[in-house]
Amino acid sequence: MFNKKPGFIGMCAAAALCASVAVHAQTGATQSGSQGASGQAGTATATGTAALASADRKIVTDLAMANMAEIESARTAQTKSQNDDIKKYAQQMIDDHTKALGEVRQLAQTKGVTLPSTLDRAHQARADKLAALSGDAFDRAYMAQAGVAEHKKTHSMLTKAQGRAKDPDIKALLTRMTPTVEQHLNAAQELHGKNKAMGSSGTATEKSGQ
């Protein structure tokens, strides 16, 4: 009888040891699996951000630059123009392009795109040249450049970008911005034509008076 008990106790101890090893192995496997899944999720997230096509990144950057340039020119017009219609147009440019720039910046942050904080060399040169003018010369240059030419360029960029963009969020932003740019361009063409006619009329009157 006494010889059987040690054997029985030994069997129980071995069974307990096996169960403990099994639980430990299962826990380790679970932790390893969780870490693996977490690592895969992190990689997927990082890859998702990095996977944005270079063409899409350029579109977002170009959109930001176009809006920044319009805001800069409009602010100059607000301080330099003496024409109430032009000042009113400039205020609309500030309001609409500030809103659009906010959308671009929000999208850029979501997509991991770093945007410029200042105008590039070409846009800054045009802004400086415009700021050096005054009076009617400024009004005509502002409407011709920031009003008509830049909005034509932006509209063309939006149209081409809609065909090139791969990211659906960028496509949606391009679609939302297009009607506003079209409205700006139409208003600029009308106001520029009116301003040119008034300038030509004034010049003709002065010549006839001489």
Side-chain angles (χ1 to χ4, degrees):
M1 291 179 62
F2 291 101
N3 290 335
K4 291 181 181 180
K5 289 182 179 180
F8 177 75
I9 294 172
M11 290 173 62
C12 289
L17 178 62
C18 290
S20 176
V21 170
V23 170
H24 180 73
Q26 184 176 2
T27 302
T30 301
Q31 291 176 343
S32 176
S34 299
Q35 291 175 353
S38 176
Q40 289 176 356
T43 302
T45 302
T47 303
T49 300
L52 192 65
S54 59
D56 283 353
R57 288 175 174 271
K58 187 176 185 308
I59 289 170
V60 175
T61 301
D62 288 347
L63 288 175
M65 188 60 62
N67 282 289
M68 289 167 60
E70 285 291 344
I71 294 169
E72 179 72 17
S73 297
R75 285 174 177 166
T76 302
Q78 280 286 302
T79 60
K80 301 203 74 167
S81 179
Q82 299 301 312
N83 185 305
D84 289 340
D85 289 337
I86 291 178
K87 290 171 75 74
K88 183 178 179 180
Y89 176 83
Q91 186 59 55
Q92 185 188 0
M93 296 307 100
I94 293 172
D95 294 342
D96 290 351
H97 285 287
T98 297
K99 179 181 177 182
L101 181 59
E103 290 190 59
V104 174
R105 284 174 173 168
Q106 184 176 0
L107 179 64
Q109 184 176 9
T110 302
K111 302 298 179 180
V113 179
T114 301
L115 296 177
S117 58
T118 58
L119 296 179
D120 59 24
R121 188 175 302 175
H123 283 91
Q124 188 61 57
R126 288 195 287 272
D128 292 342
K129 185 177 180 180
L130 184 64
L133 301 174
S134 60
D136 291 340
F138 172 84
D139 288 346
R140 288 193 296 270
Y142 171 66
M143 294 311 305
Q145 178 182 307
V148 178
E150 289 299 319
H151 279 106
K152 279 185 177 180
K153 188 182 299 183
T154 301
H155 187 271
S156 177
M157 177 186 69
L158 292 172
T159 302
K160 292 177 181 177
Q162 285 176 354
R164 295 197 310 265
K166 304 298 182 184
D167 187 273
D169 294 329
I170 294 176
K171 280 181 172 289
L173 179 60
L174 292 168
T175 300
R176 289 198 304 273
M177 290 180 66
T178 299
T180 302
V181 172
E182 289 175 347
Q183 188 271 323
H184 290 175
L185 176 57
N186 292 335
Q189 288 173 328
E190 181 179 350
L191 187 54
H192 183 48
K194 178 182 176 181
N195 196 49
K196 282 173 61 179
M198 289 177 65
S200 298
S201 176
T203 302
T205 302
E206 290 173 5
K207 286 182 179 180
S208 63
Q210 292 175 347

